């Protein structure tokens, strides 16, 4: 059985980033609970041309690589800072370029960061409809963290850390189950 490939994507445009820290926390929890090949990417990795591309073929190689990583992953941890009650426009723009069938049935963990608690429902009201459109298998536990949940760039709030552990565990179980079932599905088709 091959190790499932888990990709974390953070819509931050600078480092360090609270959003990247939160995506990384869920990614690490999943990797600690199952044998996964995990990597984390952010919009810094995509380069500045991401927002200038109107179509996939206009993407620069770095942004094309981020898009390919998303589409080829077995599972995702996706996160964005919250602006005006939703994920960033650049986050939506990237997912506008994702092939509509590429995320069907793919396990996805959702995380978001914002300045305060009033944005906490963004994961339910903005992210879930987007990934529902793609037919992604969204894990039940989403994770939201606000500025007071971090200290010197580290995630310190115990409740948010517990949710990250729970989300990582749910993601790990799904990825391992799907990887174990894949050979059976292929054998049955032959």
């Amino acid at each position: 059985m091959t190790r499932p490939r888990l990709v974390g994507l953070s819509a931050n445009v600078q480092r360090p980033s609270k959003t990247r820290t939160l995506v990384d926390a869920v990614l690490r929890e999943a990797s600690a609970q199952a044998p996964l090949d995990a990597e984390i990417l952010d919009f810094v990795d995509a380069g500045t041309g991401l927002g200038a591309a109107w179509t996939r073929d206009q993407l620069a190689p770095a942004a094309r690589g981020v898009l390919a990583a998303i589409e080829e992953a077995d599972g995702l941890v996706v996160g964005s800072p919250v602006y005006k009650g939703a994920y960033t426009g650049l986050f939506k723009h990237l997912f506008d370029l994702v092939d509509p069938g590429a995320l069907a049935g793919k396990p996805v963990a959702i995380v978001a960061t914002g300045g305060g608690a009033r944005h906490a429902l963004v994961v339910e009201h903005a992210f879930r409809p987007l990934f529902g459109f793609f037919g992604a298998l969204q894990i039940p536990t989403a994770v939201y963290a606000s500025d007071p949940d971090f200290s010197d760039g580290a995630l310190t709030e115990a409740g948010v850390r517990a949710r990250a552990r729970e989300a990582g565990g749910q993601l790990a179980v799904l990825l391992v189950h799907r990887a174990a079932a894949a050979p059976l599905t292929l054998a049955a088709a032959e």
Side-chain angles (χ1 to χ4, degrees), residues 9-17 20 41-50 62-63 66 90:
L9 176 70
S10 177
N12 59 290
V13 293
Q14 62 186 5
R15 291 183 192 145
S17 158
R20 185 179 171 105
L41 302 167
D42 55 32
F43 284 7
V44 176
D45 296 313
T48 58
L50 175 60
V66 170
L90 200 52

Side-chain angles (χ1 to χ4, degrees), residues 69-127:
I70 291 167
E71 293 179 342
E72 295 167 6
D74 296 306
L76 298 169
V77 179
V78 297
S80 174
V82 177
Y83 295 110
K84 310 283 192 285
Y87 38 69
T88 67
L90 200 52
F91 181 88
K92 177 64 165 74
H93 178 63
L94 176 65
F95 280 92
D96 284 344
L97 299 174
V98 170
D99 180 277
L103 304 184
K106 189 174 292 189
V108 175
I110 299 168
V111 308
T113 58
R118 70 183 181 149
H119 293 298
L121 288 177
V122 70
V123 294
E124 302 301 328
H125 296 288
F127 284 85

Side-chain angles (χ1 to χ4, degrees), residues 6-10 20-21 23-24 27 38-42 45:
L6 179 60
V7 171
L9 176 70
S10 177
R20 185 179 171 105
T21 297
V23 168
D24 191 51
L27 194 78
E39 72 174 310
I40 187 167
L41 302 167
D42 55 32
D45 296 313

Side-chain angles (χ1 to χ4, degrees), residues 121-186:
L121 288 177
V122 70
V123 294
E124 302 301 328
H125 296 288
F127 284 85
R128 290 207 189 274
L130 174 65
F131 290 100
F133 164 80
F134 284 107
L137 182 58
Q138 302 169 59
I139 65 162
T141 301
V143 187
Y144 175 81
S146 60
D147 289 348
D149 299 327
F150 296 87
S151 179
D152 295 324
L155 181 60
T156 55
E157 206 283 319
V160 177
R161 290 171 55 145
R163 288 186 68 77
R165 265 191 309 281
E166 186 177 343
Q170 292 169 353
L171 194 53
V173 167
L174 282 172
L175 287 168
V176 168
H177 176 75
R178 288 172 55 89
L184 297 175
T185 304
L186 290 175

